[in-house]
Amino acid sequence: MGNCHTVGPNEALVVSGGCCGSDQKTYVVGGWAWAWWLISDIQRMSLEVMTILCRCENIETAEGVPLDVTGVAQVIIYTRAQQSGADAAAGLEENIRPLH
């Protein structure tokens, strides 16, 4: 039949698929979702800070200079509620000019 999948508050669950080739997706943060066996696809994603390491080896600039480049990025995914709070906090940090 199916399973009930649960995720914590720092994890997102994406349920896709379904009967008749449905393209509908359900996104759940800190809750649960039902998924049918064999016809539903379940994916989990962490909402914590993720560190991504990128390396490019043996590349050349436009002038032909060989380079090895390493980059590091830290990424976090916000939910709409978290984003609204971050936007409000950013707005509070801006200087507000009085109207004359």
Side-chain angles (χ1 to χ4, degrees), residues 9 34 40 51 77 88 100:
W34 176 264
S40 296
T51 302
I77 299 172
H100 297 287

Side-chain angles (χ1 to χ4, degrees), residues 24-25 39 43 48 51 62-64 66 76 79 91 94 96-97:
Q24 182 180 0
K25 293 183 177 143
I39 58 174
Q43 295 176 325
E48 298 288 331
T51 302
E63 291 80 25
I76 189 166
T79 63
E94 293 182 12
I96 299 174
R97 289 186 316 167

Side-chain angles (χ1 to χ4, degrees), residues 6-14 27-30 42-52 74-79 82:
T6 60
V7 289
N10 292 330
E11 197 173 22
L13 182 70
V14 181
Y27 302 94
V28 178
V29 176
I42 302 296
Q43 295 176 325
R44 295 173 187 268
M45 182 184 328
S46 173
L47 300 178
E48 298 288 331
V49 175
M50 294 177 270
T51 302
I52 301 171
Q74 287 191 320
V75 180
I76 189 166
I77 299 172
Y78 284 109
T79 63
Q82 290 172 323

Side-chain angles (χ1 to χ4, degrees), residues 12-85:
L13 182 70
V14 181
V15 181
S16 58
C19 296
C20 304
S22 173
D23 289 336
Q24 182 180 0
K25 293 183 177 143
T26 303
Y27 302 94
V28 178
V29 176
W32 65 274
W34 176 264
W36 295 102
W37 288 344
L38 302 174
I39 58 174
S40 296
D41 185 32
I42 302 296
Q43 295 176 325
R44 295 173 187 268
M45 182 184 328
S46 173
L47 300 178
E48 298 288 331
V49 175
M50 294 177 270
T51 302
I52 301 171
L53 177 65
C54 305
R55 286 190 183 152
C56 295
E57 299 175 344
N58 300 322
I59 58 173
E60 292 186 6
T61 64
E63 291 80 25
V65 178
L67 291 175
D68 285 345
V69 179
T70 303
V72 177
Q74 287 191 320
V75 180
I76 189 166
I77 299 172
Y78 284 109
T79 63
R80 288 190 191 270
Q82 290 172 323
Q83 186 62 43
S84 297

